[in-house]
Every structure is written in structure tokens, then in C-alpha cells.
Amino acid sequence: MVHPVASVVSQSLWYVAPERTEIRSEILGPLPENSVQVRSVFSALSRGTESLVFKGLIPESEYTRMAAPFMGGKLPFPVKYGYSNVGRVELGPTELIGQLVFSLMPHQSVFQTEIANVLVIPQEIPAQRAVLAANMETALNAVWDASPGPGDRIVIIGAGVLGSLIAYLCGHLPGAEVTLVDINPERAALAKKLGVQFSSPELAPTDCDLVFHCSASASGLSTAIESAGEEATILELSWYGSNQIDVALGGAFHSRQLRLQSSQVGHISQSRRPRWSYRRRLAAALGMLSDSRLDALLTEPIHFESLPSQLPQIFSAQSSQLCCLIQYP
């Protein structure tokens, strides 16, 4: 076990008020037993959940449930948020020194955590792509919840990172007809790279066996209802925060006896719960990132120090970025 010989200054991103962030410094103490000290290489922003944190749109009733695993502070503000970090171990057990690891840590330049909270990244997975592990874990859990089968006609509404990863996983089912639907026609190229079909909302397939909704919009949920076939399931993965949406649940919703089911990564899917731990699920998701086609989801990295000035644009409604990579010095 290698221990620090001097204190280390760490910097982290804090959400301090609606649409206002700052970088704060803290001094890390001696490394506790059974822990590692990790220097971040990359992290990734979640444009879904983190944009709601940034704008102060997390409902008070959800403060506890929406707390990130290793969040600092308390919702709504100030909080040190984030849950997708790739770093290199610099202190800890000898066999881990120098290893690239993934963890559900906030955006922070250096951190200490128990060994059980990090996963060694397989050598065939680049550090940049490994930041997708948290999103892949959510996608994997959603696929477990929905139980798609070979030959199914499957539609995913919303070609963000999560929707794209669900399409990628479903695209591996033999004979399945998988279509990624988005209002942005430029997502067609992404769908092609992932090996699935693409459609605009007005041309989305109908009479589908299964529909995943990931657009976090009323119009997207309406498209999902229109696409679902008789007695089909619509799996709702959007997180709306304190936003209210209006959706027509008359007509086809009732006549086709559709099922609207939520899915959330905070719970292991019921079909796997007796046998799977959170660590096993995350490790499985990390191992699913060996395909270089998934690099299409990554943006050019932005520097950690520039986050406070760039976040308003990244989280704006006009932004079309997918997985926003953050690079550390």
C-alpha cells in the first residue's frame, strides 16, 4: 500500500445556484485504509439529469432519490454532482497503481474512495469511451425491464446518449427491427453507425412490439403512444424533474390497452434483482463498451477549468451535443 507523503489539492465543480457554477478547491487528507487516490483523466456530463440540477429543477420531493452516489453538499444547492469518472490510481494497493478505473464520482480532479467503489477498465476500452459506462448501465437496466425479444419491432424515441445505447443493445437481437427516432435529422448518421434504422417522428413506425421513450418531451411521449401496437409496453426513461407535461391518454392509449412503465437505474430490474448487485451490473455495462462504433457518441473534450463558462451553452435547448467529455490536466 502506497500512502501520500504530502497533502494534495483537489478541484471540483459545484452547482451553487440556478445556472451558476464554480470550481472549488479542497485539501485531501491522508489516504484511509482500503482506499485509493485517483487522479481524473476524463469525466462526462449528463445532459439529462445534470441540466436539471444546473437549472434548479429537481423537485424537493426527489432530493434524496436524485442524489448522486458520491455527491457533495445537498440538493438543490450547493452540490458537487456527477457520476461518470475515468481516472488513474496514484495511491493505494500496489497492484492498482497506474491502473485506469471507472467510478461514479463527481467532476473532481483528484479524489479518494474505497477500493470497492472503482472498477478497473479493460485494456481494450479507451479511457474516453469508458465514461459511457454509467449511461450503458442505465440502458442495460432498461433493456432488462422491457425484455425485448428476437424479431421484435422496436422503436426508441429520442436519440440522445441513453436512447442511442438502448438502440445499440436492441440492435444485437436477431431479426429485430430497431428504429431510432429523433427530431434532429443529423442523428440518421449516428443510427447508421450503430447498425439501426432512423426515422423522424412523423414517419415513425407503428404497430410496434416495444417502445422506449427517452426524449423528455410531451411530443416524444405522444409519438411513443402512436408507435405502440396492441397491448404493447412503452418504457418511460425520461426524467422531467419539476417540469409538467401534457399528454393525451384518451383514444388509442385506451383502445389499444397500452402499458406505460417507468424505468430507473436506481433499482436493479426485477428480473435480475435476486442475483445481481449494483457492482456486477456496472461491471457488465463497462465490459459492453469494447465496440469502437460507440465513439460516435462522444464529443471533443472540453477542459475542466472552462466548465463554468461553457455549461450554459452545453445545457441550452439549442445544444445538440451527445456525451460531453471533460478532460483534466
Side-chain angles (χ1 to χ4, degrees):
M1 176 78 70
V2 180
H3 292 280
V5 296
S7 59
V8 174
V9 176
S10 175
Q11 293 186 310
S12 53
L13 177 75
W14 284 77
Y15 296 89
V16 296
E19 302 193 15
R20 188 162 67 86
T21 60
E22 61 186 37
I23 291 177
R24 296 181 176 180
S25 298
E26 61 184 276
I27 296 177
L28 302 183
L31 186 67
E33 290 294 321
N34 301 314
S35 297
V36 288
Q37 182 167 297
V38 179
R39 188 166 296 273
S40 298
V41 178
F42 293 102
S43 64
L45 288 165
S46 166
R47 290 193 65 242
T49 305
E50 283 193 69
S51 67
L52 295 175
V53 174
F54 176 68
K55 296 170 184 176
L57 294 177
I58 302 293
E60 185 175 354
S61 62
E62 300 301 303
Y63 285 172
T64 299
R65 279 188 286 266
M66 293 310 298
F70 302 101
M71 181 181 79
K74 293 182 179 180
L75 289 167
F77 303 104
V79 288
K80 176 173 62 174
Y81 206 84
Y83 45 81
S84 187
N85 185 289
V86 171
R88 195 175 299 278
V89 177
E90 59 181 16
L91 294 171
T94 304
E95 66 272 17
L96 290 178
I97 299 296
Q99 294 271 29
L100 280 172
V101 293
F102 178 86
S103 65
L104 298 170
M105 291 291 167
H107 309 295
Q108 185 166 340
S109 61
V110 188
F111 61 86
Q112 296 173 347
T113 189
E114 293 181 4
I115 295 170
N117 295 330
V118 301
L119 289 169
V120 174
I121 297 170
Q123 291 185 353
E124 67 271 18
I125 299 175
Q128 295 97 317
R129 196 186 310 149
V131 301
L132 293 169
N135 295 109
M136 182 62 92
E137 183 182 20
T138 304
L140 174 61
N141 203 65
V143 171
W144 284 346
D145 280 341
S147 299
D152 276 352
R153 182 179 297 152
I154 303 166
V155 162
I156 300 93
I157 311 294
V161 175
L162 179 56
S164 298
L165 288 173
I166 292 171
Y168 170 79
L169 292 177
C170 291
H172 285 79
L173 291 167
E177 300 175 27
V178 182
T179 304
L180 192 55
V181 176
D182 201 90
I183 60 174
N184 184 352
E186 294 180 2
R187 292 286 192 261
L190 172 63
K192 185 176 181 180
K193 288 181 180 179
L194 298 177
V196 300
Q197 301 175 55
F198 177 82
S199 174
S200 60
E202 60 271 15
L203 298 176
T206 57
D207 197 29
C208 294
D209 300 293
L210 178 62
V211 181
F212 294 88
H213 180 233
C214 311
S215 80
S217 68
S219 60
L221 185 52
S222 295
T223 301
I225 292 171
E226 293 169 4
S227 293
E230 190 85 13
E231 299 186 15
T233 293
I234 301 166
L235 197 74
E236 176 60 270
L237 289 123
S238 303
W239 170 240
Y240 300 94
S242 58
N243 292 322
Q244 300 291 320
I245 63 167
D246 294 318
V247 179
L249 294 181
F253 182 79
H254 284 277
S255 65
R256 293 205 299 272
Q257 300 185 65
L258 303 181
R259 180 180 183 221
L260 181 60
Q261 176 187 343
S262 66
S263 179
Q264 214 275 335
V265 72
H267 302 276
I268 294 175
S269 178
Q270 187 175 12
S271 65
R272 301 301 193 279
R273 203 172 298 161
R275 300 173 302 282
W276 284 71
S277 66
Y278 288 100
R279 182 176 177 85
R280 181 186 175 190
R281 186 182 64 179
L282 181 57
L286 182 60
M288 293 176 182
L289 299 175
S290 60
D291 193 334
S292 62
R293 291 182 295 171
L294 296 174
D295 291 339
L297 298 173
L298 304 174
T299 64
E300 284 296 316
I302 60 175
H303 294 292
F304 171 72
E305 297 89 345
S306 67
L307 277 175
S309 63
Q310 295 204 37
L311 284 181
Q313 190 279 324
I314 291 172
F315 289 144
S316 72
Q318 292 73 38
S319 175
S320 61
Q321 296 189 46
L322 288 166
C323 181
C324 303
L325 269 177
I326 301 164
Q327 187 168 20
Y328 293 77

